[in-house]
Amino acid sequence: MDNQLQNNGLPAIGLQARVAAALQSARAIDAPLCKLEYVLAQAMAKAFADMGQKVTDRNDEITYLVQNMPAEVTLNLPGIRIDEIPIAINRGILHHFGDFYGLNVASFMRFLTAHYQCSLRANAIKKLAAPVAEPLRPSPAQLLQIRTNRIATAFAKYKADGYYNDYGNLVFDSINAMGKIPFGEEKEMQLLEQARQNLIKTYSRSTIYPADRAKLKAGLNKLLSGNGQTLIVAEAKRLTLFALFDYLIEKNIDIMAFLEK
């Protein structure tokens, strides 16, 4: 398929140069976890957009992908370079690796694996002066530091902008795994109900586009029938994270001191 690249997307020589440049970036296993998550999220969001699918209508799918793709990549393709990820996913969307059906973990991993094993990439590696070393797995202490840095980065952005896009609730889940969510059951129930009301309001909005109206109506019916628990939990996690950040800001508590307490 590599000799047919001129028929889909960029000319082959341009793609070769992009792959060669991407091979100079950090390996997925070595990159900061927050960077890997961000690159994957952006590349997958662009893939949905390129397929004419609105990301806002697939929040549950995107949440699942962002929660699972980083682990799949570091486990199965630890040596892939982080700047190769958008290239590989874009090539997959353009059918450089054959037909595919739907955008999910399997299809995205297929794009990445096919790119990783293709002759174009192999030839680019041969031209590099330094050999590609086998990736090392991060230690538990390194993983903890990665998660801590991600939380600190999220808190700093929230303080500066008043908002943080917690793709896949990864920051919340990291804090929760450390046992640092200070709210009790009553507060949790309040946040779950607020999340439900937020989503009902979102799916009740008006639109002039018939296809969007159908999707909004389907989402609203799902919530009202009690089948939207995944969406509600994801929204409640977002609200809980923001409530925690607001509490720390109000009390002038440093995020690192809070996590180390």
Side-chain angles (χ1 to χ4, degrees), residues 147-163:
R147 294 189 183 100
T148 302
N149 291 342
R150 178 174 62 198
I151 294 168
T153 299
F155 183 63
K157 182 168 180 57
Y158 184 83
K159 286 180 69 175
D161 301 339
Y163 185 81

Side-chain angles (χ1 to χ4, degrees), residues 144-145 148 178 180 253-261:
L144 177 60
Q145 187 60 53
T148 302
M178 298 168 70
K180 294 294 183 178
I253 300 175
D254 178 73
I255 187 68
M256 298 303 289
F258 172 75
L259 294 175
E260 293 170 1
K261 199 185 284 186

